[in-house]
Structure formats: structure tokens, C-alpha cells
Amino acid sequence: LIRYLLNVCIRSRSLQDSLIALDTLNLLHKSRKIRKLIERMWQEETKRSREWRGTSYEESIKEVAQSRLKQITIENDVETLAYGLLIANELNDQFLTEISKLLFRKMEPFWKIIFKGKTDEVRPILYDLSMALRALSLSPFINSVFIPFEQSEYVYEAIAWYEEKKRKGIIPITTVSYT
């Protein structure tokens, strides 16, 4: 299995398959016992490849992951973007913000469906939605708030109002509802 995952993450032409393999290897690598096995398998695999010969697993897998993350665009499906965000988060990578923006943009139509509240319309997108939310929950964006685009102007006005009050030294000490 580990040999297969290593080959998929390095050699697969499918971006999604490669990201899934990378995510799986990252999860497995957290176990001390399996970590040694992965690193041993990596050394065996690199003997057959000139490109990776003599490089450590950690160094090489990070390079592979960054190469794959560079390939992510808005054209990718939600699942691929979610796995990309998981990988970027695991690496604490520079692509984290960029991929999250793509994922948020891709999810915009989903929020509209969810805010309608019709269960039969939500079922077809449930898998993609759960993948996106899983990726976001494991990233620094766990405290994000989702607001329909049409109402985003109100949020900007509230932020501007708060910043203005803060600049003037008027900050509420207690939670108060402002309308």
C-alpha cells in the first residue's frame, strides 16, 4: 500500500489522485511505527529513480506537494481543492490562502442552495460540501463565517463602523447589539 501511495503521489497524472495519496501518506506518517516503514520504502523506491536518489522522504514529499499545489486552479472540482487545502495546511504552505480563496469561490453556489433550506437540493452536493468543510475545519480558517455575497456589504459597513469607533477610542466593553 505504501509503495502504491508513493508511486501515485509522484507519478500520477491525475492531480486529485496525487493529492489524495499525499494526504493519506501524511496521515500515515504521523504514526512513529509507520513513519519508519514509509521512509524505508521511500529509500527503496528512490534507488530506481535518478530524480529522487539520495533525497530524504520529508524533503522530497514536500517538493512533490508544492509542485502539485502549484497546479491547482479554479477549474478543479471541490474535492481536489479540498485535498489541496488539506495538503497546504499540513505543510503550512504559502498556497494555503490562495487555495482557500479558490475553494470559497467554488463553494459560493453551494451556500445559496443551503441558505434556501431545501433538503432535496442539498443532498446532491453533500459530499462536496462535507469535503470542503472538513478541509476548512482542519485549516486556520476554522473560525470563518459564511455570508451570502448579497449581504457582504453589510459586513463591510459593520467592520468600517467598528474600525472608526476603535480609532476614536470608543470600544464597547460589553457585548451589545447594534442595529
Side-chain angles (χ1 to χ4, degrees):
L1 174 66
I2 292 171
R3 190 170 285 130
Y4 173 76
L5 290 171
L6 289 169
N7 281 312
V8 168
C9 82
I10 293 172
R11 294 184 179 90
S12 178
R13 290 188 178 161
S14 165
L15 178 59
Q16 184 178 27
D17 290 349
S18 184
L19 291 171
I20 291 170
L22 282 165
D23 186 47
T24 306
L25 284 168
N26 282 339
L27 290 171
L28 292 172
H29 197 258
K30 290 178 181 177
S31 163
R32 235 183 241 149
K33 188 176 182 181
I34 298 176
R35 180 181 307 141
K36 290 178 183 178
L37 182 61
I38 291 173
E39 290 170 2
R40 187 169 46 89
M41 291 285 194
W42 174 256
Q43 292 307 317
E44 289 176 18
E45 288 298 310
T46 58
K47 290 176 185 175
R48 297 182 217 158
S49 168
R50 290 184 187 178
E51 181 182 3
W52 303 106
R53 190 174 292 156
T55 59
S56 72
Y57 169 79
E58 300 262 341
E59 177 185 323
S60 303
I61 215 69
K62 185 174 183 174
E63 188 177 320
V64 169
Q66 288 176 336
S67 163
R68 294 302 189 168
L69 293 175
K70 286 178 187 175
Q71 297 173 13
I72 293 178
T73 67
I74 193 65
E75 302 303 318
N76 295 112
D77 61 2
V78 172
E79 186 176 8
T80 302
L81 291 171
Y83 277 110
L85 185 59
L86 288 170
I87 299 301
N89 186 55
E90 188 72 31
L91 296 174
N92 207 1
D93 197 71
Q94 70 215 18
F95 297 105
L96 188 64
T97 304
E98 185 180 324
I99 294 171
S100 67
K101 285 179 185 177
L102 294 175
L103 184 58
F104 280 123
R105 281 184 38 207
K106 199 72 162 188
M107 295 297 294
E108 184 69 32
F110 291 10
W111 305 132
K112 291 177 182 181
I113 292 170
I114 291 167
F115 290 131
K116 282 184 194 175
K118 296 183 179 179
T119 314
D120 57 326
E121 292 181 25
V122 174
R123 280 193 192 112
I125 62 169
L126 202 53
Y127 175 75
D128 285 339
L129 183 64
S130 65
M131 282 298 302
L133 292 176
R134 175 181 177 251
L136 290 168
S137 72
L138 295 173
S139 76
F141 301 101
I142 189 168
N143 296 320
S144 298
V145 176
F146 300 102
I147 300 166
F149 180 75
E150 297 81 24
Q151 296 177 356
S152 63
E153 190 59 37
Y154 299 117
V155 174
Y156 292 128
E157 287 175 22
I159 291 171
W161 175 87
Y162 179 80
E163 291 299 323
E164 175 69 23
K165 298 297 181 192
K166 187 175 162 183
R167 249 190 330 273
K168 291 180 179 179
I170 306 170
I171 299 176
I173 295 173
T174 61
T175 306
V176 180
S177 176
Y178 296 95
T179 57

